[in-house]
Amino acid sequence: MSINLAILWHMHQPYYYDPLKNKFMLPWVRLHATKDYLDMLLIVKKFPEIKVTFNLVPSLLKQLKEYENGSTDIFIEHTIIPAEELSEEQKAFILENFFLANWKNMVYIFPRYRELLEKRGKVYADPKKLSKKFTPQEMRDLQVFFNLVWIDPLHRKEDPFLNDLQQKGKNFTEEEKMLLLDKHFEIIKRIVPSYKEMALSGQIELSVSPFYHPILPLIYDNYKARECMPHAVLPQHNFRAPEDAEAQITMAINYFEDMFGFKPKGIWPSEGSVSEEVIQLIAKSGIKWTATDEEILSKSINEKLRTGDNLINPSILYQPYEFEGVKIFFRDRILSDLIGFVYSGWEAQKAADDFLNRIVNSQITSGIISVILDGENAWEYYENDGWNFLEKLYQALDQNKNIKTVTFSEYLNHTPDIKHLTKVFPGSWINADFSIWIGRAEDNLSWDYLYKVRQELILYQKENPDKDIKEAWEEIYIAEGSDWNWWYGDEHYTETKEVFDEIYRHHLTAVYLKMEKEPPAFLYVPISKRMREIKPEIEPRGYITPKIDGKVTNYFEWLEAGKFNLQRMGGSMHRSESLFSDLYYGFNQQSLFLRLDPYHLDSLNAFEDLKIQIQIIEPKRMKILYEKLNIQKAEVFVQENENWIKKHTLKNVTFNEVFEIELPFNLLEVKSGEYLNFFIDIFKNSYLIDRVPIIGFIKIRIPPPDFDRLMWL
């Protein structure tokens, strides 16, 4: 009797769209689309007898469709700029971000790409200064290579244009660069039809996840974490939204059916996270099977499954169970993690042999072995993007008569007798708990942000029953995704942590904009601790009395002021976007003075139709709006009972060569010795196009009466 083996490749990306900036802020949907999603199908197709399951998360599918319909991302925007026209800031962005790839397997294999990396340096200082060392041709080659190496080797080999480009190796043209991007979109457009075709053929099964990849047990009730994490410090507020958990499942099934023409039979819950309540919702939806980790089974039946890496009784793990009518498969953690984290460092044939030997040596003659893992992120750590290993693995499985690959639904069709579980332990496929997403300070703060915003939306809905607020609820569902909290806390690291933080808060901010309400101050404060309070490069050294005329009238006018270098704030995703280079601030005994310097004094046309808004967070919530740059007038609004009341008009403000404004202390309602927390937003056509600082807020102390004398001591 043959051994049944079910392999599930989980394909997922969070929703990278920023609703305030109207673009995707990270490129990973597009780049994994060109490197992983299509070729993973094509390699299976080479072995018609091999059957696998692909789990497709709707938040990924939605973004693929949006790219097909013309959406862009910030990396595309920096690619299409002709190399000769790149500004220093744009060059700095490219130098910081266009080496985001596995250096060993994706950079070093191309001599020119490696040469450019070594010229930049693996460790480097100011990317703006560094950019001056790169010629336009070198920048264009870097633009091309980043977008080329994120195309799978199969496509680069079989497509004549991509093959020629790879062989050329350097000195690329602008035309070649644009044709390369065209290839990205050609590949993207093939993905969904190819999955549908192979699913209908019966060789693969398609399953789904909750729409925006939430941790469903925590969305249902985030205090559920107490059952698997009894000593954890949980958020201040108990976020409990069973209706949202159900909506995430229902939306996913409906979207899947609209896209593929049939309903999925299985669901992989985000991060394998389950609870009894979630299984009941899955049953209600009509889904037939789900899956999670072996440790959840161990805790559900209160029985140890392994001694070290070895299973004590394989038959316990290698069978499905049933709870509330839903069939549950439990993945073999060792086999799954070997592919995900270990085999990338092995020779391909040795890795495939080891995998098969472990299955054969399991000594089971019935049941099913479930291998479930990420289907996209592992391959850049493999030689040849995993092709060598996957070919050897599928070939070995194809030739082995003792192992039969099956889909989960196929197996259930021939398995009438399934054991019943009396309970399901709540947890995920990581440590059988939820500690990645809740329990640490940043995670808990994120949950409290979400709770507050959702409560506001519920109240607004009750007060405005006739208003269509579907878009506002969509922003809540996006914010419920698991990936935001994945990067909060100190468990994981990414160069783009500040981008995740900002996108998350912008989705919550968008809830208020959809309600036509002013977002609360807390949403402007980053959750990540290291990104909150921004300190000046230079502290004020004495009183100043600048003339507010939009010009630097003389050298001494702002000499004693404090200074923030805006290019040293925030992360690489933002540097190239800033319109301003420096923020100066200083005082006399009555007022605070602010000055913003544009990057280029000869490009003030870029500031037409802009609105500059100074947001005061503390001590009193207010905003100063300067929206007609040719008029010396700004309006001051104060928040009272959540309403913005116009209180004052300022006339000591102007934007000529620089932006200058005087803010009297009595108007700000701030006293000597108190702290003023603020930031500045720049809008164009209702979209936020810049922020000072990019992340966090500026905190300055109002000087004491004898400040000027103290500076001389």
Side-chain angles (χ1 to χ4, degrees):
M1 184 177 291
S2 60
I3 302 169
N4 292 292
L5 171 66
I7 299 175
L8 182 149
W9 301 116
H10 174 54
M11 304 300 200
H12 159 61
Q13 292 292 331
Y15 196 62
Y16 295 116
Y17 176 77
D18 188 319
L20 272 60
K21 298 185 178 180
N22 194 32
K23 69 182 73 170
F24 291 117
M25 296 305 296
L26 291 169
W28 306 124
V29 167
R30 174 172 60 92
L31 298 184
H32 280 290
T34 55
K35 192 177 78 69
D36 298 307
Y37 302 139
L38 182 58
D39 64 281
M40 285 290 286
L41 276 180
L42 297 178
I43 191 169
V44 174
K45 198 171 184 178
K46 291 179 61 177
F47 301 91
E49 300 303 315
I50 297 296
K51 295 187 176 182
V52 299
T53 300
F54 287 95
N55 188 78
L56 303 176
V57 181
S59 61
L60 165 62
L61 295 171
K62 180 179 179 181
Q63 290 175 94
L64 290 175
K65 278 297 180 185
E66 288 169 346
Y67 272 113
E68 285 186 38
N69 293 331
S71 291
T72 187
D73 61 57
I74 191 173
F75 285 70
I76 290 178
E77 292 179 356
H78 282 78
T79 297
I80 63 178
I81 302 170
E84 286 80 7
E85 299 177 14
L86 289 166
S87 67
E88 288 182 355
E89 296 75 37
Q90 291 162 344
K91 289 180 181 178
F93 178 95
I94 290 171
L95 288 173
E96 285 209 280
N97 294 290
F98 278 38
F99 293 103
L100 290 177
N102 184 284
W103 290 353
K104 176 183 176 183
N105 296 316
M106 298 170 71
V107 176
Y108 292 168
I109 60 174
F110 294 100
R112 174 66 160 178
Y113 202 9
R114 181 168 188 165
E115 172 191 321
L116 295 173
L117 173 60
E118 290 172 347
K119 182 171 182 175
R120 185 204 69 170
K122 298 174 184 177
V123 178
Y124 57 94
D126 187 341
K128 187 176 175 182
K129 291 181 180 178
L130 188 62
S131 70
K132 297 176 181 178
K133 299 180 180 180
F134 283 76
T135 67
Q137 185 60 62
E138 289 174 323
M139 294 305 301
R140 182 162 40 248
D141 285 359
L142 182 50
Q143 288 172 314
V144 168
F145 266 118
F146 177 72
N147 289 282
L148 181 62
V149 301
W150 277 96
I151 295 180
D152 189 80
L154 172 70
H155 305 315
R156 300 201 304 258
K157 178 181 178 181
E158 295 187 347
D159 184 281
F161 168 74
L162 294 175
N163 198 334
D164 290 345
L165 201 65
Q166 180 172 281
Q167 294 303 317
K168 184 177 182 180
K170 64 190 305 186
N171 297 329
F172 304 114
T173 67
E174 289 294 330
E175 181 183 11
E176 288 170 331
K177 183 176 70 176
M178 299 309 292
L179 288 172
L180 172 59
L181 283 181
D182 289 342
K183 293 295 179 182
H184 278 227
F185 291 98
E186 286 180 21
I187 294 170
I188 288 172
K189 290 177 181 178
R190 293 172 57 191
I191 292 172
V192 170
S194 297
Y195 275 99
K196 182 176 180 179
E197 176 188 354
M198 285 195 65
L200 293 176
S201 76
Q203 187 179 356
I204 69 169
E205 178 175 7
L206 298 182
S207 58
V208 74
S209 287
F211 202 106
Y212 288 108
H213 207 260
I215 304 300
L216 282 184
L218 299 183
I219 298 300
Y220 196 105
D221 181 353
N222 68 356
Y223 280 14
K224 186 74 174 179
R226 282 205 176 102
E227 293 186 28
C228 55
M229 303 161 56
H231 303 296
V233 177
L234 297 183
Q236 177 182 353
H237 300 286
N238 180 192
F239 183 94
R240 193 174 189 280
E243 60 272 35
D244 288 14
E246 184 172 6
Q248 294 270 9
I249 296 172
T250 302
M251 291 190 308
I253 294 170
N254 292 340
Y255 190 85
F256 183 101
E257 185 175 16
D258 287 344
M259 183 163 285
F260 294 106
F262 57 89
K263 288 186 176 180
K265 296 180 180 178
I267 189 168
W268 168 252
S270 317
E271 307 291 354
S273 52
V274 293
S275 67
E276 292 182 357
E277 295 84 358
V278 165
I279 301 297
Q280 290 165 355
L281 289 180
I282 291 173
K284 183 179 177 182
S285 74
I287 289 287
K288 303 301 181 185
W289 64 262
T290 189
T292 184
D293 187 67
E294 65 176 53
E295 191 63 19
I296 300 296
L297 174 62
S298 175
K299 292 180 180 294
S300 296
I301 62 176
N302 197 28
E303 187 170 339
K304 187 177 180 181
L305 299 183
R306 292 186 184 270
T307 300
D309 288 349
N310 299 314
L311 287 168
I312 298 170
N313 184 350
S315 64
I316 296 176
L317 176 61
Y318 294 157
Q319 62 175 307
Y321 292 79
E322 180 270 334
F323 185 84
E324 296 288 341
V326 178
K327 310 305 185 294
I328 309 175
F329 295 88
F330 296 91
R331 73 171 192 142
D332 184 303
R333 176 174 48 85
I334 299 298
L335 289 175
S336 302
D337 287 353
L338 282 169
I339 296 176
F341 306 110
V342 178
Y343 287 154
S344 58
W346 292 27
E347 189 274 326
Q349 187 64 61
K350 178 183 176 184
D353 290 344
D354 182 78
F355 186 84
L356 261 70
N357 288 338
R358 288 172 181 267
I359 293 175
V360 172
N361 293 337
S362 66
Q363 299 180 344
I364 67 163
T365 57
S366 63
I368 182 171
I369 299 176
S370 300
V371 174
I372 303 173
L373 69 150
D374 189 302
E376 56 201 354
N377 290 317
W379 307 123
E380 64 186 87
Y381 298 95
Y382 280 76
E383 182 183 359
N384 203 29
D385 201 45
W387 264 85
N388 300 353
F389 167 72
L390 288 170
E391 277 195 313
K392 297 294 185 184
L393 175 64
Y394 290 149
Q395 186 177 56
L397 290 170
D398 192 41
Q399 295 173 352
N400 192 300
K401 304 305 178 184
N402 295 318
I403 302 174
K404 179 185 179 183
T405 57
V406 296
T407 66
F408 293 93
S409 291
E410 177 187 10
Y411 180 80
L412 291 176
N413 288 339
H414 301 93
T415 310
D417 298 323
I418 295 178
K419 288 185 178 181
H420 176 75
L421 286 177
T422 58
K423 77 169 188 174
V424 174
F425 187 82
S428 74
W429 66 350
I430 303 176
N431 304 321
D433 61 25
F434 304 116
S435 58
I436 296 295
W437 302 278
I438 197 168
R440 288 175 170 80
E442 290 182 4
D443 296 328
N444 291 348
L445 184 59
S446 169
W447 280 105
D448 285 337
Y449 275 26
L450 180 61
Y451 173 87
K452 292 175 183 178
V453 176
R454 188 177 184 278
Q455 290 299 111
E456 287 273 359
L457 182 56
I458 291 172
L459 179 61
Y460 181 85
Q461 190 172 42
K462 290 179 180 178
E463 295 174 346
N464 301 273
D466 297 329
K467 291 265 187 164
D468 183 358
I469 54 172
K470 290 180 182 177
E471 291 183 357
W473 276 109
E474 192 78 13
E475 298 293 347
I476 290 289
Y477 298 144
I478 293 169
E480 289 173 346
S482 69
D483 295 88
W484 318 117
N485 280 24
W486 179 271
W487 298 113
Y488 289 135
D490 54 7
E491 305 98 326
H492 300 111
Y493 169 77
T494 175
E495 300 96 328
T496 57
K497 180 173 182 174
E498 77 277 3
V499 184
F500 280 92
D501 189 318
E502 184 176 69
I503 296 174
Y504 173 69
R505 289 182 291 106
H506 281 184
H507 282 297
L508 293 179
T509 300
V511 175
Y512 289 88
L513 300 181
K514 303 294 184 184
M515 294 188 290
E516 299 181 338
K517 296 180 68 175
E518 181 70 23
F522 70 84
L523 289 179
Y524 296 107
V525 181
I527 292 170
S528 178
K529 292 178 182 178
R530 69 180 181 87
M531 298 187 298
R532 294 182 190 170
E533 179 185 327
I534 306 299
K535 296 183 179 180
E537 182 180 41
I538 299 172
E539 297 275 2
R541 292 162 291 182
Y543 284 139
I544 63 173
T545 55
K547 181 180 180 181
I548 305 301
D549 57 2
K551 299 177 182 180
V552 182
T553 308
N554 61 66
Y555 171 76
F556 298 100
E557 190 178 29
W558 289 86
L559 183 63
E560 303 298 313
K563 177 185 175 183
F564 292 88
N565 184 326
L566 303 181
Q567 283 310 285
R568 296 184 182 178
M569 297 178 178
S572 59
M573 291 299 107
H574 300 283
R575 275 199 180 94
S576 66
E577 296 183 290
S578 184
L579 296 171
F580 299 96
S581 59
D582 300 286
L583 170 66
Y584 292 85
Y585 74 101
F587 322 92
N588 62 19
Q589 291 179 323
Q590 293 81 35
S591 298
L592 165 68
F593 299 93
L594 299 178
R595 170 184 139 198
L596 270 175
D597 287 12
Y599 265 123
H600 304 292
L601 295 181
D602 58 351
S603 62
L604 291 180
N605 289 337
F607 297 93
E608 291 182 2
D609 302 322
L610 292 189
K611 291 195 300 185
I612 297 176
Q613 182 172 267
I614 302 171
Q615 293 254 20
I616 310 293
I617 304 174
E618 291 177 342
K620 187 174 182 66
R621 188 79 172 93
M622 61 177 61
K623 60 184 180 183
I624 298 96
L625 179 60
Y626 181 55
E627 56 181 335
K628 293 186 178 180
L629 304 193
N630 59 341
I631 298 177
Q632 289 184 268
K633 185 174 71 172
E635 307 294 348
V636 180
F637 298 84
V638 177
Q639 191 174 43
E640 296 179 358
N641 298 322
E642 298 189 358
N643 295 315
W644 286 101
I645 310 298
K646 180 181 172 182
K647 289 282 187 163
H648 309 281
T649 297
L650 280 175
K651 293 187 177 180
N652 217 7
V653 55
T654 191
F655 191 168
N656 190 345
E657 295 176 358
V658 299
F659 170 75
E660 293 180 314
I661 189 169
E662 179 181 0
L663 299 170
F665 294 143
N666 61 351
L667 181 147
L668 298 176
E669 300 185 38
V670 62
K671 299 176 182 178
S672 175
E674 289 185 337
Y675 285 94
L676 186 74
N677 296 345
F678 72 96
F679 59 89
I680 304 172
D681 283 333
I682 296 92
F683 295 92
K684 187 166 188 173
N685 299 327
S686 77
Y687 287 110
L688 178 67
I689 64 168
D690 200 3
R691 188 178 187 275
V692 177
I694 285 296
I695 54 176
F697 59 87
I698 288 170
K699 182 175 184 177
I700 58 177
R701 187 170 185 261
I702 305 304
D706 57 351
F707 169 74
D708 203 35
R709 182 182 64 82
L710 292 173
M711 291 297 102
W712 285 95
L713 295 180

